[in-house]
Amino acid sequence: MSKIAVIIRNEYVAFYASLADLLSKTNHVQVLVDNPSVKKIVSRVAPDISSLVRVLPERRLDPQVTKDTTVTAVNNERRLGVRYSSFLAKDRALGRGYMSNIDGYPSFGREYWPHEQRLESLNREVDLYSKVLLGIDVLISQWPEAVPIAICEAHGIQHFHLLPIKFGDRYYWSTDSYKGSEELKNAILSAIHGARNCEELPSTSYEVDSCSSAVISQISYDLRGACLASFRIAKRDIYNLLKKRSKPNSVRTFGWIPSRFRKYRNSRFVNAKGIGLESVQNKKYIFFPLHMEPEVSLYLFSPEFINTFEALVWLSKSIPADWQIVVKEQPNGFQFRAHHFYQRLLQIGNIRLADTNTKAWDWIKHSQAAAVFTSTVGIEAVHFEKPVISFSRNQYINLLPTVFEARSFEDTLTAVSQIENLAQGAAELQISRVSLYQAQQSVSFPLENLPKMAKSSVPDEHTVYFAGKQLMTRYSKF
């Protein structure tokens, strides 16, 4: 019987509450929730575990610096083997200065805290999770959060995170800090070995990631959508003000409204300057999808390097004179980037902006390659037998023979040269496609209804049971 801690934030509350209830039948479980509202939902969905729920303290309150603040921070760094600055860089507020491509993101009160206050805030968080995870065998959370996971890895605590495998409605249990797992990596390496010894590689069919597809299908660029979204934000913020529920040191009241109109303005500019596929017929180009910033995936896959603009500069300087780079914005990215970001891109001669009405799949299929940080596009490119330049060292697709990791300008130049010499339909491209497909299928399982539970307070019992069964049968800790 294992001791399990389940962290529940503000998404998939009913799912994780029901999962904790299921695991409590055969294990000792404690549930850590983000706020009292989440606790109410957990208690309603799973009343049998209501006594096991603990509300985590508010972490946005001003921390009081002490004479021991810096010494404690240094000692914690040594104990955990992690620099505090790496924690800060993953935080939208405390690490705002690291995020150079999102000038339009709303301001947080915490982003102006002095350095010592930030250290003290982290000291409190490290102290909290060191205590609540003491004696725990397993941690389950939606994402591998920086501080809890650092403590888990320092103390040998296994951690699990249910994430989309980026193939249809299939999910898998991630077990590392980078949205991957040893099971997945081993499956890829085994599949590559098998594919190299196969006389005839099978055909495969890719299915669009249902989770991403559901989000993108709800995107609106028009002025009416901006007005409606702003009205909902104003209504919510006024309600929170009246109820005194506004979060301390967070985004100011109505602070999210300007981003909705920025999205409208920026998308209009890009569409006016952007191109369709017909503009690059018979031309060679690399497809570069921009990433939502700040985004969990970006800081998990690529904590060392997240500068999209710098990566584009490397790529621009690396491609031949008759090649171009087609840049497509992530639909929600328009709201957080300053207008001049797109203007600067257009000042680079071999970069073109893609019209918002074009589809990523079409750009991939006609490209020479894709270049990504963490995007689903990297996975899709492999399935379409296209080489990939990866600016993140932690993506599991980096194990494939036609994915070229780029940590510097020199790496980028080398990757482009290798892609130039890679013939369309080459055996290595087929090996990558088949290996990725087989690995994704072997470690994942279908959860068709899970995306519907992101904001729902009603669990789908079959989904919970199936996800829990996969967890308990695949891993010995259960």
Side-chain angles (χ1 to χ4, degrees):
M1 183 174 285
S2 296
K3 294 181 179 179
I4 303 172
V6 181
I7 296 177
I8 305 179
R9 299 298 183 186
N10 293 295
E11 289 187 321
Y12 296 97
V13 176
F15 171 81
Y16 283 102
S18 296
L19 179 64
D21 187 35
L22 175 66
L23 295 173
S24 71
K25 310 302 181 188
T26 52
N27 300 276
H28 295 295
V29 172
Q30 65 169 306
V31 181
L32 309 171
V33 300
D34 198 62
N35 55 64
S37 296
V38 173
K39 181 179 180 180
K40 287 181 182 179
I41 299 174
V42 173
S43 298
R44 184 173 69 249
V45 170
D48 290 348
I49 62 169
S50 59
S51 63
L52 307 176
V53 179
R54 172 179 175 177
V55 179
L56 294 168
E58 176 56 69
R59 58 191 176 88
R60 301 173 186 87
L61 298 174
D62 286 14
Q64 298 301 310
V65 176
T66 72
K67 62 182 177 60
D68 297 323
T69 291
T70 303
V71 172
T72 301
V74 170
N75 288 337
N76 284 338
E77 285 183 330
R78 290 171 179 163
R79 180 166 62 89
L80 299 177
V82 182
R83 297 294 188 195
Y84 264 28
S85 54
S86 71
F87 290 149
L88 294 172
K90 296 175 185 178
D91 189 288
R92 292 182 300 173
L94 300 180
R96 176 60 181 270
Y98 294 99
M99 303 172 192
S100 56
N101 297 308
I102 51 166
D103 293 343
Y105 202 77
S107 293
F108 293 79
R110 286 169 288 154
E111 67 187 59
Y112 298 106
W113 281 356
H115 182 58
E116 289 73 18
Q117 266 195 298
R118 300 176 197 226
L119 296 182
E120 184 58 31
S121 176
L122 283 175
N123 284 343
R124 291 185 178 189
E125 191 172 359
V126 169
D127 182 62
L128 168 67
Y129 285 109
S130 294
K131 290 176 180 176
V132 298
L133 296 178
L134 185 65
I136 292 295
D137 300 307
V138 172
L139 172 66
I140 297 173
S141 62
Q142 181 184 359
W143 300 105
E145 301 175 25
V147 172
I149 299 312
I151 292 168
C152 285
E153 298 193 345
H155 296 283
I157 301 170
Q158 277 197 282
H159 50 96
F160 299 89
H161 320 278
L162 185 61
L163 301 173
I165 197 74
K166 301 299 182 180
F167 191 107
D169 58 11
R170 301 182 72 86
Y171 289 75
Y172 73 111
W173 284 105
S174 169
T175 59
D176 66 18
S177 303
Y178 306 109
K179 293 178 64 179
S181 71
E182 283 302 311
E183 182 188 16
L184 177 56
K185 293 174 184 176
N186 290 336
I188 290 174
L189 294 174
S190 176
I192 291 172
H193 177 74
R196 291 197 187 282
N197 294 302
C198 183
E199 292 185 5
E200 185 175 348
L201 293 172
S203 60
T204 56
S205 178
Y206 180 69
E207 296 177 21
V208 64
D209 172 42
S210 60
C211 191
S212 299
S213 178
V215 173
I216 292 175
S217 67
Q218 299 173 16
I219 298 296
S220 169
Y221 298 107
D222 59 21
L223 183 58
R224 180 176 179 273
C227 292
L228 289 174
S230 299
F231 175 77
R232 289 192 292 269
I233 292 169
K235 183 179 177 181
R236 179 200 65 195
D237 286 2
I238 291 171
Y239 177 82
N240 287 338
L241 271 177
L242 294 175
K243 292 288 186 178
K244 297 182 179 180
R245 289 173 49 181
S246 299
K247 297 174 182 176
N249 291 311
S250 190
V251 176
R252 69 184 187 280
T253 303
F254 309 140
W256 291 100
I257 290 178
S259 63
R260 299 305 187 264
F261 292 97
R262 188 179 299 106
K263 179 181 180 181
Y264 166 69
R265 181 195 180 204
N266 284 340
S267 62
R268 286 193 67 189
F269 174 80
V270 168
N271 282 341
K273 302 291 184 180
I275 63 170
L277 277 167
E278 68 282 354
S279 298
V280 290
Q281 280 187 349
N282 303 318
K283 294 181 180 178
K284 296 179 179 179
Y285 66 88
I286 292 178
F287 180 52
F288 192 114
L290 295 177
H291 302 268
M292 177 68 179
E293 295 182 60
E295 183 190 38
V296 173
S297 292
L298 187 59
Y299 301 119
L300 291 178
F301 272 138
S302 188
E304 305 87 1
F305 179 62
I306 60 171
N307 194 328
T308 303
F309 195 89
E310 184 66 17
L312 277 165
V313 169
W314 290 351
L315 192 57
S316 173
K317 293 177 179 178
S318 299
I319 60 176
D322 59 342
W323 285 34
Q324 295 181 344
I325 304 168
V326 174
V327 175
K328 191 173 193 304
E329 178 62 282
Q330 205 276 358
N332 277 323
F334 285 114
Q335 58 191 323
F336 301 135
R337 299 195 206 275
H339 190 64
H340 64 75
F341 176 83
Y342 305 102
Q343 292 175 319
R344 286 178 64 202
L345 286 180
L346 290 175
Q347 290 171 344
I348 301 175
N350 55 7
I351 288 183
R352 310 293 298 275
L353 297 178
D355 189 295
T356 61
N357 297 309
T358 57
K359 298 185 183 301
W361 276 25
D362 293 330
W363 290 113
I364 297 169
K365 289 176 181 178
H366 295 88
S367 70
Q368 304 305 116
V372 301
F373 273 91
T374 69
S375 174
T376 305
V377 166
I379 293 171
E380 292 171 338
V382 172
H383 281 289
F384 292 143
E385 294 190 3
K386 298 292 182 179
V388 177
I389 299 174
S390 171
F391 290 105
S392 162
R393 66 178 64 182
N394 302 307
Q395 293 195 88
Y396 56 79
I397 62 171
N398 290 6
L399 296 169
L400 298 167
T402 57
V403 177
F404 306 101
E405 191 176 321
R407 301 186 187 184
S408 64
F409 168 70
E410 289 76 14
D411 288 347
T412 308
L413 187 62
T414 300
V416 171
S417 297
Q418 290 175 300
I419 289 168
E420 283 187 276
N421 297 322
L422 196 61
Q424 192 79 15
E428 291 292 280
L429 291 168
Q430 296 181 47
I431 288 171
S432 290
R433 169 182 57 79
V434 171
S435 300
L436 179 58
Y437 175 84
Q438 292 177 346
Q440 286 178 307
Q441 298 296 313
S442 70
V443 305
S444 66
F445 41 90
L447 292 177
E448 180 182 356
N449 293 325
L450 185 60
K452 301 173 186 176
M453 298 178 65
K455 301 295 183 182
S456 175
S457 59
V458 180
D460 181 288
E461 296 299 339
H462 173 75
T463 299
V464 173
Y465 175 77
F466 193 63
K469 182 180 178 182
Q470 290 290 326
L471 182 63
M472 290 184 279
T473 56
R474 286 173 182 265
Y475 298 99
S476 61
K477 279 289 184 182
F478 301 93

